[in-house]
Amino acid sequence: GGPWGSEDIFTNAGPFWGVIGIVLFTVFFCVPQCLLTSELCCALPRNGGYAVWVREALGDFWGVQEVYWQWVSGVADAAIYPVLLCDTIMQLTGRSGAGRFEVWRWRMGVTAIMSLPTFVSFHFVPGLLIVFGFGTALPVVAFIAYGARLVDPKVWLQTVSGRPLNMGKLINSIFWNLEGWDAISACTGLVRKPRESIIPRGLFISLAATSLQYITVLLVAAGVSEQFEPWYSWKDGSLPSIGASLGPWMGLWMLVASAVGNAGMYLSEFVEDAYLLQGAAEAGIAPIFFAKQMPFTKSPYVAGVFQFAIISVMVVFDFSEILVFDNFFTGMAVLLQFVSFFVLRWRRPDLPRPFVVPCLALPLFLPAVGILCFMLFHCFVKAGKASLVTAVAFALGTPYGCWVIRREQLRKASGGGSALDELFSGR
């Protein structure tokens, strides 16, 4: 996906505290999440992922909530990328002051263009994502290499002045950019053995590379843009504009990188969530019409259209508002994973664990949970109008979970199989 959307880290804290924040978040949140993911992926190597962990530890109801929260956060996350790309384009074209309806039309157009590959075939997407990955990485490397010669290192020591450090917004920005290390659990069954060495090694190499990418790109951007676009004026989507200060060719290249990076993230989220909804429908815990597929490609078109409709509404909101909504549901799902980790340690000490989190690393889990709780409080209480939407979506999860559990009871009473067993089996 690249560093797109990370500008708010420096806007909210300045280069000095922004870098410190990324480092601290990496150590005290990402490292525990990688350790937790490594242990549970190896102990329960099924493609059902985090939902399997939660169900094993806390039961069917919370397993369903984990699936629901992850699906809601995934659809919200998909809505972020057309907003981010549209904001980038409008900044470069000088249309930042456009009215709300015009902005929405632009965002709808970008969303429709990003969705085009899914209307052709979902199976076309994986190969396209590989191309997009190279397309977004090469310009970023060029930006770092070219811009590093022109930076003013004094900028890196600057902090916000004249206003207090907004810790809630800072943690939300860093969380959205650096969370997600549990994603490998959705395909654990495909990882070759020995998983206990491959999974943690892969996670920690990726974590180091990702954190270093954010720090390097943001420091270079702050160091070269002080005269043209200082860090305290950055908005989401400012990086291509900063690239343009190094020359029109760099601005264009960074815009292309932003476009393919955001499109790739959008497609991966969209396809993942559409197949999740189709699988839930086939298992009997979502309306059956979501299981309908295209006759030739087998793509879940009803689930896709439903998600597209939701995203079309969500792009009315600004980047920061969608991010808070997304982070709340992601944070709740991750909090359940941390709880499940300790519950399984307590209730299932006999569970084979090829990889075990070292005892010396367990104290890191305390600040990780503290960071989660602080972020969730900020998302739910201090997020303005996004709080109401969050509350409604969150409340819908309870009757949905009760409905699924009731259906499970009726199926078992009539001698049928378990829909949740089928959904979480990882087949």
Side-chain angles (χ1 to χ4, degrees):
W4 323 113
S6 62
E7 297 93 340
D8 281 352
I9 297 174
F10 275 23
T11 306
N12 289 315
F16 181 78
W17 288 116
V19 171
I20 296 297
I22 292 173
V23 172
L24 292 177
F25 190 87
T26 298
V27 174
F28 292 108
F29 182 85
C30 296
V31 168
Q33 189 181 32
C34 289
L35 289 170
L36 175 153
T37 300
S38 299
E39 178 171 316
L40 294 181
C41 279
C42 295
L44 299 165
R46 283 176 270 169
N47 293 338
Y50 31 71
V52 173
W53 310 341
V54 175
R55 189 190 182 206
E56 288 282 340
L58 305 174
D60 288 346
F61 177 81
W62 292 110
V64 172
Q65 296 305 296
E66 179 78 6
V67 172
Y68 172 73
W69 293 341
Q70 290 283 10
W71 180 80
V72 172
S73 71
V75 175
D77 198 52
I80 285 179
Y81 300 108
V83 170
L84 189 55
L85 178 56
C86 182
D87 289 354
T88 300
I89 295 172
M90 297 190 80
Q91 285 183 58
L92 282 173
T93 56
R95 304 183 66 86
S96 298
R100 201 167 187 86
F101 182 68
E102 182 182 355
V103 170
W104 178 76
R105 284 187 301 165
W106 273 74
R107 291 174 178 176
M108 275 297 302
V110 172
T111 303
I113 293 171
M114 283 184 168
S115 302
L116 282 177
T118 67
F119 295 127
V120 177
S121 171
F122 277 36
H123 301 292
F124 175 67
V125 172
L128 190 62
L129 293 180
I130 296 174
V131 176
F132 282 178
F134 284 104
T136 196
L138 294 177
V140 170
V141 172
F143 172 76
I144 294 172
Y146 186 75
R149 304 179 298 109
L150 307 172
V151 298
D152 179 5
K154 295 193 299 292
V155 177
W156 298 346
L157 299 178
Q158 293 178 359
T159 61
V160 291
S161 58
R163 57 185 172 90
L165 178 66
N166 193 322
M167 189 63 68
K169 288 185 176 180
L170 175 62
I171 290 180
N172 263 289
S173 297
I174 298 176
F175 182 87
W176 183 73
N177 281 282
L178 275 175
E179 191 279 330
W181 306 103
D182 56 348
I184 185 63
S185 67
C187 54
T188 303
L190 303 178
V191 178
R192 69 178 185 270
K193 296 179 181 180
R195 296 188 184 96
E196 61 270 22
S197 60
I198 292 176
I199 291 177
R201 183 171 65 242
L203 285 174
F204 282 107
I205 290 174
S206 299
L207 173 59
T210 302
S211 298
L212 185 62
Q213 173 207 224
Y214 281 117
I215 291 172
T216 306
V217 170
L218 290 173
L219 285 178
V220 170
V224 301
S225 67
E226 186 178 20
Q227 301 300 322
F228 307 98
E229 196 163 356
W231 57 265
Y232 48 80
S233 67
W234 290 357
K235 304 174 184 176
D236 60 282
S238 289
L239 282 175
S241 298
I242 296 167
S245 68
L246 301 179
W249 63 274
M250 182 60 77
L252 178 60
W253 211 6
M254 289 288 280
L255 176 61
V256 171
S258 174
V260 297
N262 284 301
M265 293 300 296
Y266 174 84
L267 287 172
S268 61
E269 283 284 4
F270 190 94
V271 171
E272 175 191 356
D273 296 324
Y275 275 117
L276 174 61
L277 186 55
Q278 177 203 357
E282 289 176 342
I285 65 169
I288 191 60
F289 55 80
F290 286 126
K292 290 186 177 180
Q293 300 174 322
M294 295 289 285
F296 298 107
T297 64
K298 303 299 180 184
S299 301
Y301 72 95
V302 175
V305 170
F306 178 65
Q307 289 183 174
F308 181 81
I310 295 175
I311 292 169
S312 299
V313 174
M314 293 198 71
V315 295
V316 171
F317 297 99
D318 291 331
F319 171 83
S320 59
E321 294 169 332
I322 304 174
L323 182 144
V324 166
F325 180 88
D326 178 13
N327 279 356
F328 177 80
F329 284 95
T330 303
M332 287 298 298
V334 173
L335 185 59
L336 273 188
Q337 295 170 25
F338 275 93
V339 172
S340 299
F341 172 82
F342 286 107
V343 170
L344 287 171
R345 278 285 187 102
W346 172 47
R347 290 183 179 173
R348 300 282 302 278
D350 58 331
L351 183 68
R353 292 175 169 85
F355 176 89
V356 179
V357 176
C359 292
L360 291 176
L362 289 176
L364 290 174
F365 283 60
L366 186 60
V369 173
I371 290 169
L372 269 178
C373 292
F374 177 82
M375 187 203 70
L376 289 169
F377 173 79
H378 180 270
C379 289
F380 201 71
V381 176
K382 299 193 173 184
K385 57 187 176 182
S387 298
L388 178 61
V389 181
T390 302
V392 172
F394 182 72
L396 290 175
T398 299
Y400 170 64
C402 294
W403 174 75
V404 171
I405 300 306
R406 180 58 180 163
R407 282 178 64 93
E408 278 286 283
Q409 293 171 346
L410 292 175
R411 287 182 64 153
K412 290 178 180 178
S414 62
S418 169
L420 294 179
D421 285 344
E422 181 180 345
L423 182 66
F424 296 145
S425 64
R427 290 197 298 268

